[in-house]
C-alpha cells in the first residue's frame, strides 16, 4: 500500500501526540505511526481498560497524560498503532510493518518522536532474570497493574527511582530497600543550578514530597552505594554493594536498576543526522534547530529523542516541531508560526532551569556506567564482556563500528541499543580519548528485525508467508552457522 | 516475580506457555504474562545457554524473545496476549523451521 502525507510523525508519546494535535489544527495531511498498541509512549502507557484506582496511585502527571491521550484519540487523527518503522529513506519514504503486513508511506516532512530509553547499567550479574530496569517495572504497573510479589530492591540514581518507589507504596507494594548510587559530589556540581531550579517550585516540591513519603513508609535507604553486583545461579537471588564503608548483601528475587534515561537515537543515527555528545547527560543527542530540525532535510525531532527534557517539555517541543513543519510546508507564514510558538517557548525556558539542576544532581556514577572488571557482560545479545572491548580498543578500535567488527558487540537483535553507551565509555577510557571523539554505531535498516516475508510483501502484496520456516531473522541464521 | 493488584478486570484471556495454561487480563503483554506467572526466565541464550528474562519491557533489549504461535524470536513485551495463543520459551540455539 503506497500513500503520501504532508507530515508523518513517528511515536505516540507526549511529543508525537502534541505534534499531531497541532498539525491537525493547522489542517495538515498527517499520519502518526507508533509501535505500541496504544498511545501514550512509555511515560503514559496504560492497559486496555482504564483503572481509576491505579491511575490515582500513578499521580497527577499521569492523569494529565491520560487527558492528553483522550484529546488525541478524539481529534480524528490518522493514527496507526502497532506499526513499526524499519527504514526511513533520504526521500522520506517510511518502510513500515504492521500486524497484517508491510506498508510504505511517503512524507514531505517527518517528525521523529521516538523518545527515550533507560541507560544500561552494566554491573556484574545484570543479565540474570529478575534484574530489570526501573522503567520496565513501571511499565508492568501502568499496563498490568502489577507490583512485585515479594519486596523488591530499587538500585541506582535519578528521579524515576523515587517516583516508582512512591507509586509502588501507593499501589500497596512493599520495598525491601532503596540503594542509591548518586555520588555525594553531585550535590556541589548541582548547587549553581539551584537558583534557576527554584523557579520550578512545583518540580522541587514534588521531589521533596516523594522523599518524605519514602521516609514515612520507613523504606530502608542506603546512600552513596558503590560496587553493585547481582548474585544468583539462574536468576537474581541477592544484590551486593558497599555503602557507608561496609559490605552489604540483600536477598531479593527482583532488583530494579536505574541510572536515568537517554535519547533513543537509533533512527536518527541511522539516517545520518548530525549528533553531539552531551557531557552532562552522557549520551549522544541529535543537533537540532529552533523547530527541532535535524541536519537531514525534512526530518525534525521532538521530545526526549532530541535530548532528555521530560514529558512536560516534550509536549511543547512536539508543538514547536509541528509549527516548524507547517511553515516549511507553506501552510503558515513565519509570523503565525512564531506567534503560536510563544507560550511553548516561555514554558521551555522555565523548564530548562530545573533540568540543568536535575541533570547535574543525578549524573550517573562512573561505576554504574563502566564495568570495573573485565568479566561483566557489556553486549547482552552477543555476550561480549568488558575485557574484550578493552582488548579491541587496545588493538586499534577507535570507534564503535570497529569494536563491533572486532568483537561482534552490537551485532545481535538489539542492534547495539543496550551496549552502545558502555562500549563508548570503554573505548574512550582505554584509548585515553574524550567520549565525544569516539564515533557512535551507525545503525542500518532494518531498525528492528523484519521477516523476509514482510520485505517480499512490499513488492508483491499477494505474497503470503506459508510456514514459520520462512521467518528467518538474522539471529536464526547465525544460530545455525 | 510480579502480582496483580486487585481490580475489577477479570483474567479472561487464556494462553499456553510451554503447554501450561495461563489466564491473563485483556491488554497484558506476553512478557507481563510470563512475569506474572512467576517465570523470570524467558529464554536461554543461543551463545552460551545463559538464562535471560524481560529487562526493558519496551521493545529495546530483545531479551524476552519467545516463540509465539510457531513464529520464533517475537518480542514478548511488544505482543499482547490473545485467547488461544501458544507461547514457547526459546531455550538455547533455535533451529530454522522449528515451530
Amino acid at each position: 500500500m503506497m500513500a503520501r502525507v504532508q507530515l508523518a510523525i513517528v511515536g505516540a508519546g507526549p511529543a508525537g501526540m502534541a505534534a499531531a494535535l497541532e498539525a491537525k489544527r493547522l489542517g495538515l495531511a498527517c499520519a502518526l505511526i507508533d509501535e505500541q498498541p496504544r498511545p501514550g509512549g512509555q511515560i503514559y502507557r496504560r492497559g486496555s481498560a482504564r483503572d481509576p484506582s491505579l491511575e490515582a496511585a500513578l499521580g497527577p502527571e499521569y492523569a494529565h497524560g491520560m487527558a492528553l491521550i483522550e484529546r488525541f484519540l478524539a481529534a480524528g487523527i490518522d493514527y496507526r498503532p502497532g506499526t513499526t518503522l524499519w527504514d526511513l529513506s533520504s526521500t522520506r519514504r517510511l518502510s513500515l510493518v504492521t500486524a497484517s503486513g508491510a506498508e510504505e508511506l511517503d512524507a514531505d516532512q517527518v517528525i521523529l518522536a521516538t523518545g527515550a530509553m533507560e541507560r544500561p547499567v552494566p554491573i556484574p550479574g545484570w543479565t540474570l532474570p529478575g534484574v530489570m530496569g526501573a522503567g520496565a517495572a513501571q511499565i508492568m504497573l501502568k499496563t498490568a497493574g502489577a507490583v512485585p510479589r515479594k519486596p523488591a530492591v530499587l538500585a541506582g540514581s535519578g528521579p524515576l527511582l523515587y517516583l516508582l518507589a512512591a507509586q509502588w507504596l501507593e499501589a500497596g507494594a512493599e520495598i525491601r530497600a532503596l540503594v542509591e548510587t548518586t555520588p555525594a559530589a553531585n550535590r556541589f556540581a548541582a548547587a549553581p543550578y539551584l537558583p534557576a531550579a527554584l523557579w520550578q517550585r512545583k518540580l522541587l516540591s514534588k521531589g521533596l514530597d516523594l522523599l518524605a513519603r519514602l521516609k514515612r513508609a520507613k523504606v530502608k535507604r542506603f546512600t552513596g552505594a558503590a560496587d553493585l553486583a547481582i548474585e544468583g545461579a539462574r536468576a537474581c537471588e541477592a544484590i551486593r554493594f558497599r555503602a557507608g564503608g561496609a559490605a552489604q548483601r540483600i536477598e531479593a528475587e527482583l532488583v530494579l536498576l536505574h541510572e536515568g534515561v537517554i535519547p533513543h537515537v537509533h533512527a536518527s543515527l541511522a539516517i545520518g543526522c548530525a549528533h553531539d555528545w552531551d557531557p552532562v547527560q552522557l549520551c549522544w543527542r541529535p543537533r537540532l534547530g529552533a523547530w527541532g530540525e535535524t541536519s537531514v532535510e525534512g526530518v525534525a525531532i521532538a521530545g526526549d529523542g532530541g535530548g532528555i527534557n521530560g514529558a512536560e517539555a516534550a509536549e511543547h517541543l512536539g508543538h514547536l516541531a509541528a509549527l516548524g513543519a507547517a511553515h516549511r510546508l507553506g501552510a503558515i507564514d513565519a509570523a503565525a508560526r512564531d506567534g503560536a510558538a510563544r507560550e511553548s517557548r516561555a514554558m521551555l525556558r522555565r523548564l530548562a532551569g530545573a533540568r540543568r539542576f536535575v541533570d547535574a544532581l543525578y549524573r550517573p556514577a562512573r561505576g554504574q556506567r563502566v564495568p570495573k572488571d573485565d568479566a561483566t557482560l557489556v553486549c547482552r545479545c552477543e555476550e561480549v564482556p568488558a575485557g574484550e572491548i578493552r582488548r579491541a580498543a587496545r588493538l586499534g578500535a577507535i570507534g564503535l563500528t570497529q569494536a563491533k567488527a572486532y568483537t561482534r558487540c552490537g551485532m545481535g537483535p538489539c542492534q547495539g541499543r543496550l551496549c552502545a553507551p558502555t562500549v563508548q565509555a570503554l573505548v574512550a577510557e582505554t584509548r585515553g580519548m574524550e567520549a565525544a571523539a569516539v564515533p557512535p554505531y551507525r545503525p542500518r535498516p532494518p531498525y528492528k528485525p523484519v521477516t523476509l516475508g514482510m520485505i517480499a510483501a512490499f513488492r508483491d502484496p499477494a505474497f503470503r508467508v506459508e510456514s514459520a520456516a520462512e521467518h528467518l531473522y538474522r539471529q536464526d541464521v547465525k544460530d545455525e552457522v | 516475580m510480579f502480582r496483580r493488584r486487585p481490580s475489577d478486570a477479570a483474567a479472561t484471556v487464556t494462553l499456553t506457555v510451554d503447554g501450561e495454561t495461563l489466564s491473563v487480563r485483556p491488554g497484558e503483554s506476553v512478557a507481563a504474562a510470563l512475569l506474572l506467572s512467576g517465570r523470570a526466565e524467558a529464554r536461554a541464550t543461543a551463545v552460551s545457554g545463559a538464562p535471560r528474562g524481560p529487562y526493558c519491557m519496551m521493545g529495546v533489549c530483545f531479551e524476552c524473545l519467545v516463540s509465539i504461535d510457531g513464529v520464533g524470536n517475537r518480542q514478548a513485551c511488544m505482543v499482547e496476549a490473545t485467547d488461544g495463543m501458544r507461547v514457547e520459551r526459546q531455550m538455547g540455539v533455535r533451529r530454522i523451521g522449528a515451530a
Side-chain angles (χ1 to χ4, degrees):
Chain A
M1 186 169 74
M2 192 70 81
R4 184 161 200 100
V5 291
Q6 286 178 291
L7 174 63
I9 300 168
V10 182
M17 288 192 290
L21 282 165
E22 185 62 15
K24 182 78 184 176
R25 191 184 70 83
L26 296 169
L28 302 182
C30 165
L32 186 147
I33 68 149
D34 188 55
E35 197 177 14
Q36 296 289 340
R38 268 178 287 280
Q42 301 306 329
I43 189 88
Y44 302 136
R45 274 187 79 159
R46 65 185 193 189
S48 59
R50 303 287 294 270
D51 178 345
S53 75
L54 175 63
E55 289 180 21
L58 290 169
E61 284 80 15
Y62 190 74
H64 167 83
M66 295 304 103
L68 175 62
I69 290 175
E70 296 306 325
R71 265 192 292 138
F72 169 75
L73 288 174
I77 289 157
D78 176 0
Y79 163 53
R80 308 181 192 185
T83 304
T84 302
L85 174 76
W86 65 267
D87 185 31
L88 172 58
S89 77
S90 57
T91 57
R92 290 179 300 284
R93 173 167 294 176
L94 290 80
S95 299
L96 310 168
V97 289
T98 66
S100 55
E103 286 177 19
E104 287 180 331
L105 178 68
D106 284 311
D108 299 321
Q109 294 286 322
V110 173
I111 296 174
L112 295 175
T114 49
M117 54 174 271
E118 282 187 272
R119 185 191 305 279
V121 188
I123 59 171
W126 74 305
T127 55
L128 283 167
V131 181
M132 302 173 73
Q138 207 187 30
I139 289 168
M140 284 295 288
L141 182 60
K142 289 171 182 170
T143 60
V147 292
R149 65 178 180 183
K150 294 177 186 168
V153 173
L154 286 162
S157 179
L160 179 66
L161 220 50
Y162 305 112
L163 177 62
L164 176 62
Q167 289 172 337
W168 270 354
L169 292 173
E170 205 66 38
E174 280 180 65
I175 299 165
R176 180 148 293 162
L178 188 58
V179 178
E180 301 179 26
T181 58
T182 309
N186 281 14
R187 288 188 210 163
F188 302 106
Y193 303 113
L194 187 58
L198 286 174
W199 290 102
Q200 282 291 296
R201 272 204 205 98
K202 196 176 74 179
L203 182 133
L204 288 185
S205 65
K206 182 181 146 193
L208 294 172
D209 177 54
L210 289 178
L211 293 175
R213 278 153 78 183
L214 297 183
K215 201 166 181 180
R216 276 201 304 278
K218 297 193 167 56
V219 172
K220 192 163 190 173
R221 286 176 65 187
F222 297 88
T223 54
D227 297 339
L228 275 62
I230 307 294
E231 277 178 19
R234 282 196 78 80
C236 172
E237 293 166 18
I239 179 168
R240 276 188 285 116
F241 55 94
R242 272 192 320 103
Q248 305 283 349
R249 183 179 184 277
I250 304 173
E251 286 184 13
E253 66 168 17
L254 188 61
V255 171
L256 293 314
L257 301 174
H258 185 71
E259 288 292 341
V261 296
I262 55 176
H264 193 175
V265 288
H266 200 74
S268 56
L269 285 173
I271 62 173
C273 296
H275 286 66
D276 296 304
W277 179 255
D278 183 328
V280 178
Q281 294 187 349
L282 297 164
C283 58
W284 289 105
R285 57 197 291 172
R287 191 177 302 158
L288 302 180
W291 307 95
E293 319 91 297
T294 68
S295 63
V296 172
E297 200 191 330
V299 179
I301 293 177
D304 275 359
I308 303 303
N309 292 290
E312 191 177 352
E315 260 181 73
H316 295 294
L317 292 164
H319 182 235
L320 294 182
L323 288 170
H327 177 252
R328 290 193 295 280
L329 288 162
I332 50 173
D333 62 23
R337 177 195 64 181
D338 297 349
R342 210 160 287 139
E343 201 178 315
S344 282
R345 292 221 183 276
M347 277 307 298
L348 285 167
R349 267 195 299 276
R350 289 171 55 189
L351 289 167
R355 190 74 234 170
R356 278 192 284 275
F357 176 69
V358 170
D359 285 347
L361 186 60
Y362 295 114
R363 192 169 189 264
R366 180 186 170 279
Q368 290 287 93
R369 295 187 298 115
V370 192
K372 272 187 190 167
D373 65 328
D374 278 344
T376 298
L377 286 188
V378 171
C379 167
R380 299 172 64 109
C381 298
E382 296 291 334
E383 300 187 42
V384 183
E388 273 191 48
I389 307 291
R390 289 192 173 102
R391 198 167 64 95
R394 281 194 296 269
L395 285 172
I398 53 165
L400 272 65
T401 304
Q402 292 85 2
K404 179 179 181 174
Y406 288 19
T407 70
R408 293 194 62 88
C409 68
M411 223 177 262
C414 98
Q415 302 180 357
R417 288 169 169 91
L418 263 284
C419 65
T422 320
V423 178
Q424 182 89 23
L426 284 168
V427 170
E429 288 193 9
T430 306
R431 298 189 64 83
M433 300 161 74
E434 294 291 323
V438 178
Y441 287 129
R442 176 73 191 268
R444 304 284 174 184
Y447 307 152
K448 283 255 174 135
V450 187
T451 63
L452 293 178
M454 286 292 184
I455 294 175
F458 272 105
R459 298 293 167 235
D460 177 9
F463 184 91
R464 282 288 171 267
V465 177
E466 295 300 335
S467 84
E470 286 170 272
H471 287 254
L472 305 180
Y473 288 16
R474 297 190 314 178
Q475 183 72 19
D476 295 296
V477 177
K478 194 207 79 189
D479 292 347
E480 287 294 297
V481 173
Chain B
M1 293 289 107
F2 286 85
R3 65 175 168 87
R4 293 176 181 85
R5 290 167 62 257
S7 90
D8 299 335
T12 52
V13 174
T14 301
L15 70 159
T16 66
V17 175
D18 300 332
E20 189 187 319
T21 303
L22 295 183
S23 293
V24 303
R25 291 176 185 160
E28 289 178 0
S29 70
V30 172
L34 290 172
L35 292 167
L36 285 161
S37 75
R39 290 168 171 82
E41 191 172 336
R43 69 184 183 106
T45 64
V47 178
S48 73
R52 296 289 172 86
Y55 180 78
C56 77
M57 292 299 286
M58 54 175 278
V60 173
C61 77
F62 289 76
E63 291 289 21
C64 64
L65 296 179
V66 295
S67 165
I68 297 177
D69 292 334
V71 180
N73 285 349
R74 304 284 312 275
Q75 290 184 284
C77 70
M78 300 295 287
V79 180
E80 291 197 356
T82 55
D83 231 12
M85 189 177 261
R86 195 163 48 82
V87 177
E88 269 114 32
R89 292 187 288 175
Q90 298 180 173
M91 295 304 175
V93 179
R94 294 193 55 251
R95 305 203 65 77
I96 285 178

